[in-house]
Amino acid sequence: MTAAKSSKARLEPAEVKAELLAKYPPKVARKRSKQIMINEALENGTPEITANVRTIPGIITMRGCTYAGCKGVIMGPTRDIVNLVHGPIGCSFYAWLTRRNQTDPGPEGPDGENFMTYAFSTDMQDQDIIFGGEKKLAAAIQEAYDLFHPKSIAVFATCPVGLIGDDIHTVSRNMKEKFGDCNVYAFSCEGYKGVSQSAGHHIANNQVFRHIVGVDDRPVEGKYKISLLGEYNIGGDGFEIDRIFKKCGITNIATFSGNSTYKQFATAHQADLNAVMCHRSINYVADMMETKFGIPWIKVNFIGAKATAKSLRKIAAYFEDKELIDRVEQVIAEEMPEVEAAVADILPRTEGKTAMMFVGGSRAHHYQELFSEMGMKTISAGYEFAHRDDYEGRRVLPSIEVDADSRNIEEIEVEADPARFKPRKSAAAMQALEAAGTVKFKDYEGLAPDMAAGTLIIDDLNQHEAETLVKLMKPDIFCAGIKEKFSIQKLGVPMKQLHSYDSGGPYAGFKGAINFYQEIDRLVNSKVWSYMKAPWQENPQLSGAYVWE
Ligand code: CFM
């Protein structure tokens, strides 16, 4: 690349793609090429992207592991389940409260059950690896039970547990029977089980569905009962969404799993609608609940003020109740003026600026709503571990190849519950709602159709490509996670973590949108990172180039 070419105005997307691949050996370049897509609107959708495949060894991926997806993401935010990690202490320590998922002490007050601040681990040692760790696990479950008398204990397997073959499920079942008043179950979520944390989501979904959802039939009161699936209360997002639901008169029985409790999951089968926010992490539970209990699901998004209004309207339209429809309109009318005033304030400083976001399996899509409200364009985005349908829409599901890595993850066979299956709406009523265009069931369009033609969509971005991309396209802001943060800032570009939010939040809902506008305005208009000059830029210690083959 020559210096003259580094101006973002002159680089075509195909040239950027070629630059990203230029340093790879040919075989690696061929593989990566299929995960880098130049977006365009085709007659029947968008181009096909390769996703949810193994990262090529040697590449520094942004991804996490299966254990992270199960223990950290899905089960981490529930406050009154003891999460006991069977494995070496590091797996527990590094999964401990780094995601900024918040919780509310709940009706029991600040002394109520909240185990999130503890790191429970069996602290496996060499001798456990050699002689087996089942006895140690049983003792740890017993110790947690004696100390806290929790309603539930969840056991998580880390890599060595799978390698030595400890039977964590039998140990858990035996302890559950022994206690009688504590639900104990285990997750075979060894880090290596899948190609990313996505496999961990699936494993967690299966066990939550099998062991918790529907175990409590005590009735939950409420006129419009929903559950919110795939919202994890990072930076208090769930608090803001719950505030809005409450104002609308909507009862949120359970959030999976931000700010949640065991009882919420146990009673979630009583909802009349499942609203799915992060589809990637929780779609399995939504599908299984529909089959077993007859609860339909719709896709929602509470990231972005307009998206929030749209999602509320969808929920109201589903219930087909004038009182709720009017109430939702009233809430939107009350909330929007403050949002509009905030947009008017920041727009002159943010309009026309560019953003890139590479996050997980849904936020790289959802956050584009907030940026477009600020007049900012997303020039490149992608997921770490999403599947093709998250890019291209649910309609591609039948054409996704199931490879050995995916086949490795259990698919539960679910049937309608003989006593409790109750279709919430007739097939005709659901069709009528879809025909009216207000509600679409079990559907989502994916990230690609929402992005402009000529933008770059990149799956499983890595360290090398992130740096190259930023150097070539010079976005005004780059959004990703802690592993990317400092290398991007060293390139002189502001960086915002969209996993933990660094600090601050909420960014969901109406009040969250205002917080986000102000934070991004501050970041894209601060010049501080452009003053950065790394010492090696002036005084290089090494010179030369890599030569392949
Ligand atoms: Fe769903 Fe998430 Fe995400 Fe995710 Fe995650 Fe997360 Fe994420 Mo980090 S559940 S897929 S596994 S929205 S922890 S709250 S921010 S990568 S985009």
Side-chain angles (χ1 to χ4, degrees):
M1 184 189 62
T2 62
K5 265 200 155 184
S6 66
S7 146
K8 61 184 164 186
R10 259 171 281 165
L11 270 191
E12 292 296 321
E15 292 176 282
V16 176
K17 181 170 175 175
E19 283 290 336
L20 293 179
L21 300 173
K23 278 197 178 164
Y24 291 134
K27 207 172 146 195
V28 175
R30 259 198 314 279
K31 278 192 171 169
R32 281 303 294 154
S33 175
K34 293 184 191 145
Q35 287 172 278
I36 303 176
M37 160 173 130
I38 299 164
N39 197 30
E40 56 183 315
L42 300 177
E43 223 167 83
N44 50 359
T46 55
E48 185 177 322
I49 192 164
T50 295
N52 191 34
V53 293
R54 287 184 192 188
T55 302
I56 300 158
I59 279 183
I60 305 176
T61 174
M62 293 163 67
R63 283 172 168 175
C65 69
T66 299
Y67 158 80
C70 179
K71 191 268 178 188
V73 173
I74 308 295
M75 299 309 289
T78 306
R79 66 175 162 269
D80 58 357
I81 299 175
V82 165
N83 283 347
L84 173 59
V85 177
H86 188 32
I89 192 65
C91 300
S92 206
F93 185 76
Y94 289 109
W96 183 38
L97 282 187
T98 52
R99 187 159 165 249
R100 298 191 67 244
N101 47 298
Q102 301 184 0
T103 201
D104 186 331
E108 298 151 67
D111 298 325
E113 284 184 323
N114 176 11
F115 305 121
M116 272 166 50
T117 51
Y118 294 90
F120 297 95
S121 171
T122 54
D123 185 19
M124 274 182 135
Q125 305 291 321
D126 301 5
Q127 71 224 44
D128 305 314
I129 305 290
I130 296 162
F131 299 110
E134 290 175 8
K135 283 197 185 118
K136 194 169 196 186
L137 174 62
I141 295 171
Q142 183 69 52
E143 191 182 345
Y145 179 80
D146 292 341
L147 279 172
F148 298 104
H149 289 282
K151 300 172 189 73
S152 182
I153 298 173
V155 174
F156 301 89
T158 60
C159 295
V161 172
L163 298 176
I164 64 173
D166 273 1
D167 185 355
I168 57 172
H169 300 283
T170 299
V171 173
S172 299
R173 196 166 48 243
N174 291 344
M175 296 310 277
K176 179 183 173 174
E177 276 164 21
K178 181 180 174 194
F179 299 147
D181 61 352
C182 176
N183 193 355
V184 190
Y185 39 85
F187 298 82
S188 288
C189 58
E190 288 87 351
Y192 59 76
K193 268 279 167 71
V195 302
S196 70
Q197 50 271 65
S198 173
H201 300 151
H202 196 162
I203 293 164
N205 278 229
N206 285 349
Q207 296 298 72
V208 165
F209 182 76
R210 192 180 260 145
H211 293 283
I212 320 179
V213 170
V215 300
D216 188 344
D217 275 322
R218 284 175 296 173
V220 180
E221 299 305 325
K223 196 163 175 190
Y224 314 108
K225 288 185 287 194
I226 69 162
S227 287
L228 179 61
L229 275 59
E231 156 48 48
Y232 299 91
N233 204 24
I234 313 298
D237 280 348
F239 295 150
E240 164 65 0
I241 298 170
D242 277 340
R243 177 190 74 83
I244 298 168
F245 281 159
K246 212 169 168 197
K247 208 169 163 183
C248 294
I250 296 165
T251 304
N252 179 16
I253 295 186
T255 302
F256 288 74
S257 59
N259 190 31
S260 60
T261 59
Y262 176 79
K263 187 179 172 212
Q264 288 184 18
F265 297 159
T267 55
H269 61 300
Q270 298 178 42
D272 291 317
L273 174 70
N274 280 332
V276 177
M277 181 137 146
C278 168
H279 165 269
R280 181 66 271 135
S281 59
I282 204 89
N283 69 87
Y284 319 94
V285 162
D287 276 338
M288 291 187 284
M289 280 173 81
E290 179 160 26
T291 310
K292 186 167 178 183
F293 300 107
I295 309 168
W297 68 263
I298 58 169
K299 174 84 179 72
V300 293
N301 174 24
F302 291 98
I303 302 296
K306 285 182 196 153
T308 299
K310 195 174 158 195
S311 297
L312 291 173
R313 287 187 174 118
K314 270 196 209 172
I315 294 171
Y318 167 80
F319 282 99
E320 299 180 90
D321 181 299
K322 186 158 184 314
E323 189 188 316
L324 180 63
I325 292 169
D326 290 348
R327 183 69 199 139
V328 159
E329 287 306 326
Q330 198 186 333
V331 169
I332 295 169
E334 275 172 33
E335 298 279 336
M336 280 310 277
E338 205 188 326
V339 172
E340 280 153 12
V343 171
D345 173 38
I346 53 103
L347 205 60
R349 292 184 299 274
T350 56
E351 194 160 28
K353 300 228 186 245
T354 57
M356 288 182 180
M357 59 209 80
F358 293 91
V359 211
S362 75
R363 293 186 172 193
H365 183 196
H366 289 163
Y367 274 79
Q368 294 190 27
E369 296 269 352
L370 275 170
F371 282 108
S372 78
E373 287 171 2
M374 304 177 75
M376 290 177 62
K377 189 183 168 199
T378 305
I379 52 175
S380 186
Y383 299 123
E384 286 167 64
F385 50 74
H387 302 196
R388 268 185 64 208
D389 50 307
D390 302 295
Y391 290 102
E392 302 171 55
R394 191 162 169 102
R395 53 175 192 84
V396 302
L397 272 186
S399 65
I400 294 182
E401 273 175 50
V402 182
D403 62 11
D405 290 310
S406 308
R407 216 168 279 128
N408 196 18
I409 313 300
E410 183 192 15
E411 287 281 349
I412 301 189
E413 285 290 331
V414 185
E415 282 172 10
D417 186 293
R420 298 181 295 175
F421 177 85
K422 182 183 77 171
R424 299 326 199 245
K425 280 185 189 289
S426 67
M430 284 169 72
Q431 267 166 18
L433 274 173
E434 290 205 325
T438 38
V439 182
K440 265 197 144 189
F441 294 98
K442 281 176 101 102
D443 196 38
Y444 45 89
E445 298 289 323
L447 167 148
D450 273 352
M451 288 188 70
T455 51
L456 276 165
I457 300 177
I458 308 176
D459 183 64
D460 187 17
L461 189 80
N462 56 55
Q463 179 91 36
H464 158 67
E465 290 167 13
E467 290 198 18
T468 310
L469 201 60
V470 166
K471 283 181 195 157
L472 294 173
M473 298 179 85
K474 296 193 172 56
D476 293 299
I477 191 160
F478 189 94
C479 304
I482 189 65
K483 298 196 290 294
E484 297 74 44
K485 186 170 183 71
F486 302 103
S487 64
I488 299 296
Q489 284 178 168
K490 284 173 189 168
L491 296 172
V493 171
M495 200 282 178
K496 176 73 180 169
Q497 288 193 63
L498 283 190
H499 301 258
S500 71
Y501 301 158
D502 296 295
S503 58
Y507 296 137
F510 299 111
K511 299 227 184 295
I514 297 170
N515 287 338
F516 194 76
Y517 305 150
Q518 290 166 349
E519 169 75 344
I520 298 302
D521 175 26
R522 183 181 73 77
L523 283 167
V524 297
N525 289 301
S526 158
K527 295 204 169 43
V528 61
W529 297 110
S530 64
Y531 296 136
M532 285 278 305
K533 194 117 184 130
W536 60 84
Q537 285 173 305
E538 276 166 355
N539 187 16
Q541 304 280 305
L542 289 171
S543 60
Y546 288 111
V547 181
W548 298 103
E549 285 162 10

